[in-house]
Every structure is written in structure tokens, then in C-alpha cells.
Amino acid sequence: MNVTLTVNSKSYTRDVEPRTLLVHFLREELLLTGTHVGCDTSQCGACTVHVNGDAVKSCTLLAVQASGMEVTTIEGIGTVADLHALQTGFWEEHGLQCGFCTPGMIMSSAELLRHTPNPTEDQIRHHLEGNLCRCTGYHNIVRAVQHAAGAMQGAGQAADD
């Protein structure tokens, strides 16, 4: 089947098997490997991307279902030269260890900050319940999101920038 998606502001058209998951389309067809395959059961959140602005676990969506939609991956929210506030927050607050869950955590957190610019610790923890981390105790991840929220409020930055 032919699918056309806008991924990180660039349009792509590809012929894919109807059963191709969005996560595999991103990684194998577009070589955007920042979106990780963790559990394949939508439990871990490592594959979280934004579809039309909403955080979605890309292992639960077929590429053909996303045809015509706008997808943002971790590669689309910042660059090495200009990190997103969440990427800086994870760096500054030591919100990562192995880094496997980090892209999904950042994409989920970006959605939270878009809707709740100044979340409480409880709101952050609740929002990230669908994202698993095996390395940290989540404390520094929460601090990273709080750091980013403060930086974004100070700079007037939108969560999807």
C-alpha cells in the first residue's frame, strides 16, 4: 500500500506492507532510529512519537493508519546545535542513564508541557506512567521535566518547537 506522511516537517511517500507498524516504518524506511522498539505491546513507551500533535505509541499504529498525518519524532524536536528544553533538562538534571527510554520520555513530556506548562510533580509522574525506565528511580526524570518547564516559560517556547 502507498502511504504518505509528513515526518519532522518533510513529506515521504513509500510503498509498505499493510501490516507495517509506524515504529518500523520510521526506523526501517526512514532510518529515524531515535524512536525505539521496546516491548511491542505498548507497555514501555520507548516508541512514543507525536501524531498530529498528540503523543502516540508508534507500536500501536499501522503506517497506513498514519497516512496523511504529521508525525514528529525525537529527531524533529531539536538539533545538536539547538536542543529542545526537554533535551537540555534531561542532560542538566541527569534524567537518563542508558538512554533507551529517553526519546519516549521526552516525547511524552513534550505533550504534557504543551497542555500543562507548569506541571506539579504528581502531574508529571501521572503523565509518564505509560513510559518505563529500568535504570533510574524517575526522580531525575521528573526534575528534568520541571527544569524544561521553567526554561520554556522563561523563553516562551512551545513544547512542540
Side-chain angles (χ1 to χ4, degrees), residues 71-148:
V71 177
T72 304
T73 69
I74 190 69
E75 292 92 346
I77 69 165
T79 65
V80 174
D82 185 25
L83 295 176
H84 186 281
L86 279 161
Q87 293 168 315
T88 301
F90 271 72
W91 177 265
E92 293 293 329
E93 298 296 333
H94 309 287
L96 58 102
Q97 286 185 18
C98 82
F100 190 80
C101 71
T102 305
M105 289 282 188
I106 288 174
M107 297 306 288
S108 291
S109 298
E111 178 188 53
L112 170 65
L113 295 180
R114 185 167 50 93
H115 296 294
T116 310
N118 190 23
T120 65
E121 180 178 337
D122 285 342
Q123 288 173 313
I124 295 167
R125 288 183 183 278
H126 178 72
H127 191 81
L128 293 178
E129 284 177 353
N131 294 78
L132 300 179
C133 176
R134 293 182 175 196
C135 300
T136 72
Y138 295 94
H139 183 68
N140 287 350
I141 292 170
V142 172
R143 286 179 39 193
V145 176
Q146 291 170 324
H147 181 279

Side-chain angles (χ1 to χ4, degrees), residues 6-67:
T6 301
V7 180
N8 301 332
S9 301
K10 185 176 177 188
S11 182
Y12 296 91
T13 300
R14 297 285 192 281
D15 187 39
V16 298
E17 290 288 326
R19 66 176 186 241
T20 302
L21 294 172
L22 179 59
V23 67
H24 295 298
F25 178 82
L26 295 169
R27 291 181 58 82
E28 296 164 16
E29 289 292 323
L30 304 185
L31 304 177
L32 296 171
T33 57
T35 303
H36 293 156
V37 178
C39 64
D40 274 333
T41 60
S42 80
Q43 300 298 308
C44 74
C47 67
T48 302
V49 298
H50 293 177
V51 177
N52 289 344
D54 295 321
V56 172
K57 293 178 181 177
S58 61
C59 74
T60 65
L61 188 65
L62 297 171
V64 296
Q65 290 174 295
S67 191

